Amino acid sequence: MSGPAAPRRPRRHDPGRRDRLIDAALTVIAERGVAGTTHREIARVADVPLGSVTYHFASLEEVLREAFTRHAEAAAQVFDRRLSAVRDRDAAVEAVISLVAEDLLGSQDDLVLAVELYVAAARNPVLRAVTQAWMQRSRRALERHFDPTTARQLDALIEGLVLHSALSTDPMTPGQIRQAIERYLR
Amino acid sequence: MSGPAAPRRPRRHDPGRRDRLIDAALTVIAERGVAGTTHREIARVADVPLGSVTYHFASLEEVLREAFTRHAEAAAQVFDRRLSAVRDRDAAVEAVISLVAEDLLGSQDDLVLAVELYVAAARNPVLRAVTQAWMQRSRRALERHFDPTTARQLDALIEGLVLHSALSTDPMTPGQIRQAIERYLR
Amino acid sequence: MSGPAAPRRPRRHDPGRRDRLIDAALTVIAERGVAGTTHREIARVADVPLGSVTYHFASLEEVLREAFTRHAEAAAQVFDRRLSAVRDRDAAVEAVISLVAEDLLGSQDDLVLAVELYVAAARNPVLRAVTQAWMQRSRRALERHFDPTTARQLDALIEGLVLHSALSTDPMTPGQIRQAIERYLR
Amino acid sequence: MSGPAAPRRPRRHDPGRRDRLIDAALTVIAERGVAGTTHREIARVADVPLGSVTYHFASLEEVLREAFTRHAEAAAQVFDRRLSAVRDRDAAVEAVISLVAEDLLGSQDDLVLAVELYVAAARNPVLRAVTQAWMQRSRRALERHFDPTTARQLDALIEGLVLHSALSTDPMTPGQIRQAIERYLR
DNA sequence: CATGAATGAGTATTCATTCAT
DNA sequence: GATGAATGAATACTCATTCAT
């Protein structure tokens, strides 16, 4: 035990701090939820003083918006990457299966972030815009290989599979994921 | 608001008060989210003094647990009612379609409560148990008419359709819901 | 030295605390000005925990409004008392002189409170209403003995004499006050 | 407002900047009061970067002192100009009337600045010196035409008339101002 | 020289919970 | 039994000032 506060190395010059704060915010959202995301907690995770968070962001909502935007962008790139690499429909089906079984279910944090964004978006129009842009982008990616109706339904199925897996004590196995998607896409 | 407490008409003997508080809590969760659910807000909605909430419940978590349990019970009964009334598989498919298009998408509050429960459950084991019992119960209801694998996948699909509709600016029409479910169930 | 915080005697039951808080607020306004009037400072002067101030008043503005209202009421009563005790005009002139020279200039705190109220009222409509009610009431008291035009001008003169005295290193003597008022009232 | 600083056009060599900052400070004091006068607000009004304010002034108090000094100087010049232009006592009376009815009551900002200075001076010795110099100077100007006792009383009357008018919903008309001053000066 | 990132102290306010009446 | 006053910890946010660039 060495006093009430940990010594903090001075770091007056720290370019890129704003970026690190956004990453720290995503960590906090995943760990404690949007409701547990406070200036203090973000500052603690980023190892910067409290005032630094309020200096770089005019409000907590701004932090959340930027954090979720960054997360959605990264998630959308995964979609794009998986689906732009394939040429025929069979490969597309495999790509969707891998996307769900590996990318989406692979990271517990990402699952949690998705659900947190959904619930936050239910009450915050700014975040709803982020969600909708994300949904639209994933639908566009699916439409490269599937007709619009199928793409939309598939997108909902993916969402449901991910959500169920995130909350279940008994998540689906990759084989079950494969079966569900193949059944839908013939 | 000015001053600590508004005068309130006396209502000393009030046997249903605990029940009314649980309903008030559900109203508050739907309106403001779990994060905005406070003793004060519940008391205000139920029109009872602040002390009454802490008198009837040992903690806020207890209120949330009871409220979500009641909500899940009511939601499960809707599942049961729809699916126990049918005798053959074709009627079961129709029942699922009605369930989603009418019951689940019919009430914005219910959608919101479901998502709030999901996210709260992600961090609270007590609430996770409520969620899982609910999921299990709806799966059992589906298993009256579909094999376990189909039931599980269908449950996830339903979840996805509901969630997508809840968050989209452009929700699916009943016809689209019907098409997605029929496609899955042949 | 005995630790970071002074021990505070427990005082869970404390009727009249709200009243004491209003008095404490007046003390703080007089000592530090409206700009220096904070929840913490009021709590410190009243020797209650910080949360107590926010419990009894919905906002700092509410505290200021109640404090200035109480002060204006007390000040108006002094006016009334001085002026209701006299029967003829000569006695009224003496009463005004005593009012200014003794009551108004007698308490440095009261002078300061008056100026603080003026400046706060310049930006806060709620406080402007307090000021105007006070001005109106003192004018009515003067109108018992002087015609309305004289009353109004006399009221302004009193204000000016008080303000000048409050700010001057070289305040007017009672004799000078008497001369100024007598000159005006013949 | 989003983020710490808006991009700003460069203006490296700017010799009048200190002066502009003082004017900006007076604008801010008039608009928001001394309590609302911050480095940031002054910088915003002057359209210069935040660091520029702290570069040119060692502290906020220095800004306030210079701003009030400039204001008092300008106000005193108005007094001087009105009263140095006249030769006999009747003209002096007219000059005082014009001074109050036109100059002093003509600018709401000037009224507010005067009251802000009074209240700030009540707690800040540096500003009290500014106030007293100003009072002394206006008294000297009046003494060109009136004996010292009359000058002093007249100065207080002017103060009272201005203050009353500033705060009243029902300010005095120019005719009433004239009557009050003429009555005092015969 | 001039700037703006950085920081720490301070502000109003909310609220779960305790407890005397 | 029921209430609401009381409390202390926490929250978002502001800002004067310092200081590296």
Side-chain angles (χ1 to χ4, degrees):
Chain A
M1 246 156 296
S2 67
R8 200 187 298 285
R9 49 204 163 297
R11 190 164 28 180
R12 296 289 306 211
H13 183 58
D14 183 8
R17 176 174 288 190
R18 199 183 138 94
D19 256 14
R20 283 196 299 119
L21 286 172
I22 295 173
D23 287 336
L26 282 170
T27 302
V28 174
I29 296 167
E31 274 175 8
R32 318 238 176 189
V34 167
T37 299
T38 66
H39 286 104
R40 281 173 153 71
E41 198 57 22
I42 295 168
R44 194 187 59 75
V45 167
D47 189 32
V48 301
L50 173 59
S52 189
V53 184
T54 56
Y55 174 73
H56 283 286
F57 302 91
S59 68
L60 249 201
E61 178 180 278
E62 185 179 317
V63 185
L64 292 175
R65 174 168 49 75
E66 298 226 13
F68 277 124
T69 300
R70 173 172 298 183
H71 173 68
E73 172 64 22
Q77 280 182 6
V78 170
F79 251 79
D80 286 344
R81 206 171 304 127
R82 285 280 184 194
L83 290 167
S84 64
V86 299
R87 286 296 162 257
D88 61 30
R89 188 184 160 106
D90 282 355
V93 173
E94 287 305 313
V96 170
I97 291 167
S98 301
L99 179 70
V100 175
E102 293 167 31
D103 299 328
L104 302 185
L105 298 184
S107 154
Q108 187 66 29
D109 272 13
D110 284 3
L111 290 180
V112 169
L113 284 172
V115 184
E116 289 288 342
L117 176 54
Y118 293 157
V119 81
R123 281 195 182 70
N124 186 327
V126 168
L127 297 180
R128 194 148 51 237
V130 175
T131 312
Q132 282 162 4
W134 182 10
M135 281 184 171
Q136 185 144 13
R137 193 160 158 191
S138 60
R139 231 201 285 170
R140 291 285 164 276
L142 293 171
E143 285 173 0
R144 290 174 170 224
H145 304 285
F146 307 101
D147 67 275
T149 299
T150 301
R152 184 166 201 186
Q153 294 172 2
L154 181 57
D155 203 23
L157 175 61
I158 292 171
E159 204 93 84
L161 292 171
V162 165
L163 192 62
H164 252 219
S165 291
L167 295 170
S168 178
T169 42
D170 149 41
M172 290 189 193
T173 63
Q176 290 172 316
I177 298 283
R178 164 177 296 274
Q179 192 194 351
I181 292 169
E182 283 184 335
R183 178 169 181 175
Y184 207 81
L185 297 177
R186 192 86 26 238
Chain B
M1 233 167 302
S2 145
R8 212 181 289 285
R9 49 205 161 296
R11 184 166 26 188
R12 300 297 292 211
H13 184 59
D14 182 5
R17 175 170 291 190
R18 202 184 135 93
D19 259 13
R20 281 197 300 117
L21 286 172
I22 295 172
D23 287 336
L26 282 170
T27 302
V28 174
I29 296 166
E31 274 175 6
R32 319 234 177 193
V34 168
T37 299
T38 66
H39 285 106
R40 283 168 167 75
E41 195 60 20
I42 294 168
R44 195 185 60 73
V45 167
D47 190 29
V48 302
L50 168 61
S52 190
V53 184
T54 54
Y55 177 73
H56 285 288
F57 302 89
S59 69
L60 244 203
E61 180 180 271
E62 183 179 321
V63 186
L64 292 176
R65 174 167 46 79
E66 300 228 13
F68 277 125
T69 300
R70 172 172 299 181
H71 173 68
E73 172 65 21
Q77 280 182 8
V78 171
F79 253 77
D80 286 344
R81 205 171 305 127
R82 285 278 185 194
L83 289 167
S84 64
V86 300
R87 288 294 162 258
D88 61 30
R89 190 184 156 106
D90 281 357
V93 173
E94 288 304 313
V96 170
I97 291 167
S98 301
L99 179 70
V100 175
E102 295 168 27
D103 299 328
L104 302 185
L105 297 184
S107 155
Q108 186 68 29
D109 272 12
D110 285 1
L111 288 180
V112 169
L113 283 172
V115 185
E116 289 287 343
L117 175 54
Y118 292 159
V119 82
R123 276 184 192 78
N124 186 327
V126 169
L127 297 180
R128 193 148 51 239
V130 174
T131 314
Q132 281 161 4
W134 181 12
M135 281 184 170
Q136 186 144 16
R137 193 162 158 191
S138 60
R139 231 199 287 170
R140 291 284 164 277
L142 293 172
E143 284 173 0
R144 290 175 171 221
H145 304 285
F146 307 101
D147 67 275
T149 299
T150 301
R152 186 166 199 187
Q153 294 172 1
L154 182 56
D155 204 23
L157 176 62
I158 291 171
E159 204 93 81
L161 292 170
V162 165
L163 193 62
H164 251 219
S165 292
L167 294 169
S168 178
T169 42
D170 151 42
M172 291 191 191
T173 62
Q176 289 171 317
I177 297 282
R178 163 177 296 274
Q179 191 195 353
I181 291 170
E182 283 183 336
R183 179 169 179 174
Y184 207 81
L185 298 176
R186 190 81 22 240
Chain C
M1 243 143 309
S2 67
R8 198 187 299 286
R9 50 205 162 296
R11 191 164 28 181
R12 295 289 307 210
H13 184 57
D14 182 10
R17 176 175 288 191
R18 198 184 139 93
D19 257 16
R20 281 196 299 118
L21 286 172
I22 295 173
D23 288 337
L26 282 170
T27 303
V28 174
I29 296 167
E31 273 175 8
R32 319 238 175 187
V34 167
T37 299
T38 66
H39 286 104
R40 281 173 153 72
E41 197 57 22
I42 294 167
R44 195 186 60 75
V45 167
D47 189 30
V48 301
L50 173 58
S52 190
V53 184
T54 57
Y55 174 75
H56 283 287
F57 303 91
S59 67
L60 247 202
E61 178 179 280
E62 184 179 319
V63 185
L64 292 176
R65 174 169 48 78
E66 299 227 14
F68 278 124
T69 300
R70 174 172 298 182
H71 173 68
E73 173 64 21
Q77 280 181 8
V78 171
F79 251 79
D80 286 344
R81 206 171 305 126
R82 285 278 184 195
L83 289 167
S84 65
V86 300
R87 287 295 162 258
D88 62 30
R89 190 185 158 105
D90 282 356
V93 173
E94 287 305 312
V96 170
I97 291 167
S98 303
L99 179 70
V100 175
E102 294 168 30
D103 300 327
L104 302 186
L105 298 184
S107 154
Q108 187 66 29
D109 272 12
D110 285 2
L111 290 180
V112 168
L113 284 172
V115 184
E116 289 287 343
L117 176 55
Y118 293 156
V119 82
R123 280 194 182 71
N124 185 327
V126 167
L127 297 181
R128 193 147 52 237
V130 175
T131 313
Q132 282 162 2
W134 181 10
M135 280 184 170
Q136 185 144 12
R137 194 160 157 192
S138 61
R139 229 199 289 170
R140 291 285 163 279
L142 293 171
E143 284 173 0
R144 290 174 172 224
H145 304 286
F146 306 101
D147 68 275
T149 298
T150 301
R152 185 167 200 187
Q153 295 173 0
L154 181 55
D155 203 22
L157 175 63
I158 291 172
E159 204 94 81
L161 291 171
V162 166
L163 192 63
H164 251 219
S165 292
L167 295 169
S168 178
T169 41
D170 149 42
M172 291 190 192
T173 62
Q176 289 171 316
I177 297 283
R178 163 177 297 275
Q179 191 195 351
I181 292 169
E182 283 184 335
R183 178 168 179 178
Y184 207 81
L185 298 176
R186 190 85 24 240
Chain D
M1 239 168 301
S2 146
R8 212 180 288 285
R9 50 204 162 295
R11 184 166 28 190
R12 300 296 293 210
H13 185 60
D14 182 5
R17 176 170 290 190
R18 200 184 138 92
D19 258 14
R20 281 197 300 117
L21 285 172
I22 294 173
D23 286 336
L26 282 169
T27 302
V28 174
I29 296 167
E31 275 175 6
R32 319 233 177 195
V34 168
T37 299
T38 66
H39 285 105
R40 283 167 165 74
E41 196 59 19
I42 295 168
R44 196 185 60 75
V45 167
D47 189 29
V48 302
L50 169 60
S52 190
V53 184
T54 54
Y55 177 74
H56 285 287
F57 301 90
S59 68
L60 246 201
E61 179 180 90
E62 183 179 320
V63 185
L64 292 175
R65 174 168 45 79
E66 299 229 13
F68 277 126
T69 300
R70 172 171 299 182
H71 173 67
E73 171 64 22
Q77 280 182 8
V78 171
F79 252 79
D80 286 345
R81 205 171 308 126
R82 285 279 184 194
L83 290 167
S84 65
V86 301
R87 288 294 163 259
D88 61 30
R89 188 182 160 106
D90 281 355
V93 172
E94 288 304 313
V96 170
I97 290 167
S98 301
L99 179 70
V100 175
E102 294 168 29
D103 299 328
L104 302 185
L105 297 184
S107 155
Q108 186 67 29
D109 271 13
D110 285 2
L111 287 181
V112 169
L113 284 172
V115 185
E116 289 287 343
L117 175 54
Y118 292 158
V119 83
R123 277 185 191 78
N124 185 326
V126 169
L127 297 179
R128 192 148 53 238
V130 175
T131 314
Q132 281 161 5
W134 180 13
M135 281 184 170
Q136 186 143 16
R137 192 160 158 192
S138 61
R139 232 200 284 170
R140 291 287 164 276
L142 293 170
E143 284 173 359
R144 290 174 171 222
H145 305 284
F146 307 101
D147 68 274
T149 298
T150 300
R152 184 166 201 186
Q153 295 172 0
L154 182 56
D155 203 23
L157 175 63
I158 291 171
E159 204 93 81
L161 291 171
V162 165
L163 192 63
H164 250 220
S165 291
L167 294 170
S168 178
T169 41
D170 151 41
M172 290 191 191
T173 62
Q176 289 171 317
I177 297 281
R178 163 176 297 275
Q179 191 194 352
I181 291 170
E182 284 183 335
R183 178 168 179 176
Y184 206 81
L185 298 177
R186 191 84 24 244

